Every structure is written in C-alpha cells, then in structure tokens.
Amino acid sequence: MNVLETSVMQGFIRMADDGWQQGWHERNGGNLTYRMKPEEVEQIREELQDNQPWQDIGASVPGLSGEYFIVTGSGKYFRNISLFPEDSCAIIEIDKAGERFRICWGLAGGGRPTSELPSHLMNHEVKKALTGGKHRVIYHAHPANTIALTFVLPLEDQAFTRELWEMATECPVVFPDGIGVVPWMVPGGRDIAVETSKLMKQYDVAVWAHHGLFCSGEDFDLTFGLMHTVEKSAQILVKVLSMTGSKRQTIQPDEFRSLAKDFHVTLPEKFLYEK
Ligand code: 2HA
Ligand code: ZN
C-alpha cells in the first residue's frame, strides 16, 4: 500500500497541519513522532527501504528495539508537511540495541529526523513502558501563551499545574497528573532529553522554559487535544494577568476535590495547596 494513503500517515499529516494552523510552528519550530503499530508497518512493508546506513540516535533506548516511527524532519517546516509529506517526514527503524536508527522512507530531498530525536525517543521509551504500550505519540510545539507564562510564573510543577488547572474546569480532568517544568536548557541534546524523560515518568505534559511544550498521548486526537487544552488555558491566564494582576475569584482546592470525585480522576494533593 502507498505510504501516503494509509490512515496512520493521513492522521499524522492532519495533526501536523492542525498545529501549523494554530500558529504553534513558526519556521521549522516543533516536531512530531509516532510509534507505529506492527500491522501499520506490515501494510507498507514493500515501500520500506532496508539499505540506508545506520546512524547514532544520541541516546540509548533499548526499550524501543526494532520499533518503527513516523517522524518530522530536522529543519523542515510544519507549514509544508501537508503539501510535501514525503520531503518533510520520514519513517525510521530502530536497531536491535536501541542505539541507532535508519531511514526507511521519506526525506525525499535528503535530511535527518527531527533535531529533538533523543528527547522524543527517550520519552517514547518511558511512556511505552509505563502505559503498557498504549502511548504512541510525542508532540513538541511552540505555543505562545504557554511560553509567555514561563517568564512570569515560578518554574515549578506545582505553580504551573495549579494556575493552569484554575483557568478552565476541564483542565484537571484532561491532565489530572499535572504538568512538569524543565528549566531553560540547550535544546536538541541528551541533557534536555534526560530531564524531560524524568518528568514524563510522572506527567503527560512538560513545559520547556522559554521554549515550548512536550506532550505524550495514546493517539493523534488525544495528544493534539492535550496540547490544545494546555495552551487554551495558558491563553486565558495571559488574558487574566493582562487585565489585572490578581484574580478576584477562582476555583478553590475543595472544589477541585469535588470535581475529582464526580469525574473519577485522582488529583495529587501536592497541587491543592492553600495559597
Ligand atoms: O526547531 O522546535 O526544539 C525544532 C525545534 C527544536
Ligand atoms: Zn522547539
């Protein structure tokens, strides 16, 4: 089957284009990766090359041995993904040791997988193990309101989680585990990958200070929806802070506890501190 006709590739392209339409992907900003299901690989087996050179990942991910990923390309523009997916994206295979990858499809004009490949793969490894293989999508974007908040909120999980939860009643239901915060770090390398993957053991969302957001989820809808919900709530907080320095009223800790009961989520008490 033609790679571009598969529903998984069409879902990947649609999600990337939705992110572009939201304004989260200036120039070559952001990246998206998807861990393929075995049946999705089989569907396109005859289209996959196995003669490209193995290259170092820059991280060790033995838990992803032999897996295939759809990835965006380094330096590629999300704006172009729906028009030229074969040039902007790739399918890669991970070697048995989880140390190297090779390109099996795509990047038709040349190039490499996303510069954030170490972060993506380390996060995939953590989430695959923790969710029994359910999580398949890792998404990194540059949504402006969330980034703006990293200049005014304390760079702490507690503060980000609580402030964003307060901005929309659905937030604690959509991300009940909260949000992790990574201080400013050089992007693209192993160090930021290690810090992010530590947070991903606890959370499905991590903020990179003065840079962007990382989200993990089961499928394209849930992962895009998570990014969208966090950024929407950041947008509301930016509006509130722009109108007035302080809130006149907000959702109280006991109200979060009632919400948790009715919506059958567990909200860690560490986020329900008295202010
Ligand atoms: O340019 O977003 O973090 C791609 C990125 C790097
Ligand atoms: Zn980035």
Side-chain angles (χ1 to χ4, degrees):
M1 190 167 179
N2 183 306
V3 173
L4 293 176
E5 285 168 7
T6 59
S7 61
V8 65
M9 190 54 93
Q10 289 184 4
F12 185 96
I13 293 167
R14 178 171 164 234
M15 173 158 168
D17 202 56
D18 284 348
W20 156 248
Q21 304 281 352
Q22 288 293 328
W24 299 339
H25 299 284
E26 76 293 339
R27 204 172 178 276
N28 60 319
N31 20 77
L32 174 63
T33 58
Y34 171 82
R35 185 169 57 81
M36 296 177 79
K37 298 177 182 168
E39 61 270 27
E40 290 163 344
V41 178
E42 282 322 305
Q43 226 181 3
I44 54 162
R45 178 66 72 182
E46 64 270 30
E47 304 247 339
L48 299 178
Q49 302 173 321
D50 60 3
N51 57 358
Q52 297 298 307
W54 290 103
Q55 306 178 49
D56 280 337
I57 292 169
S60 182
V61 286
L64 300 178
S65 166
E67 295 271 12
Y68 287 78
F69 290 86
I70 309 175
V71 304
T72 51
S74 176
K76 303 294 183 182
Y77 290 29
F78 268 57
R79 179 170 166 254
N80 290 333
I81 289 178
S82 64
L83 291 174
F84 311 112
E86 205 157 345
D87 181 63
S88 307
C89 306
I91 294 175
I92 61 169
E93 177 189 1
I94 308 299
D95 72 356
K96 290 282 163 278
E99 301 282 345
R100 296 181 305 162
F101 72 88
R102 65 181 172 188
I103 295 169
C104 305
W105 177 92
L107 290 172
R112 292 177 53 80
T114 164
S115 60
E116 302 292 358
L117 193 65
S119 278
H120 277 253
L121 294 182
M122 286 183 78
N123 289 329
H124 274 293
E125 187 183 41
V126 165
K127 284 300 186 188
K128 181 186 169 189
L130 275 174
T131 65
K134 276 199 183 139
H135 275 215
R136 295 188 171 274
V137 186
I138 300 283
Y139 182 32
H140 168 58
H142 297 171
N145 294 287
T146 306
I147 297 170
L149 290 179
T150 68
F151 296 90
V152 299
L153 291 183
L155 296 177
E156 294 162 3
D157 305 1
Q158 262 95 336
F160 261 82
T161 301
R162 178 65 175 276
E163 290 299 323
L164 293 179
W165 277 2
E166 283 184 28
M167 288 306 110
T169 297
E170 68 165 343
C171 285
V173 180
V174 176
F175 47 98
D177 297 331
I179 293 187
V181 181
V182 181
W184 188 86
M185 293 182 76
V186 176
R190 195 176 172 282
D191 293 349
I192 197 167
V194 169
E195 286 312 306
T196 311
S197 64
K198 272 190 216 157
L199 290 174
M200 283 293 180
K201 290 188 176 141
Q202 234 180 303
Y203 307 114
D204 290 341
V205 191
V207 180
W208 282 3
H210 322 324
H211 183 151
L213 259 182
F214 248 87
C215 290
S216 172
E218 292 184 22
D219 59 26
F220 299 129
D221 280 349
L222 284 165
T223 316
F224 185 86
L226 180 55
M227 179 79 69
H228 205 184
T229 305
V230 172
E231 172 59 3
K232 176 80 180 280
S233 126
Q235 184 183 32
I236 298 168
L237 185 52
V238 167
K239 285 179 192 288
V240 170
L241 294 174
S242 307
M243 285 187 284
T244 165
S246 63
K247 295 167 228 161
R248 182 167 183 150
Q249 56 267 321
T250 186
I251 307 170
Q252 298 300 324
D254 272 343
E255 295 174 324
F256 282 121
R257 292 184 186 102
S258 307
L259 182 76
K261 218 162 136 235
D262 276 19
F263 282 81
H264 309 292
V265 290
T266 306
L267 301 180
E269 279 293 320
K270 68 174 174 178
F271 298 128
L272 301 179
Y273 51 89
E274 290 300 328
K275 289 195 201 170

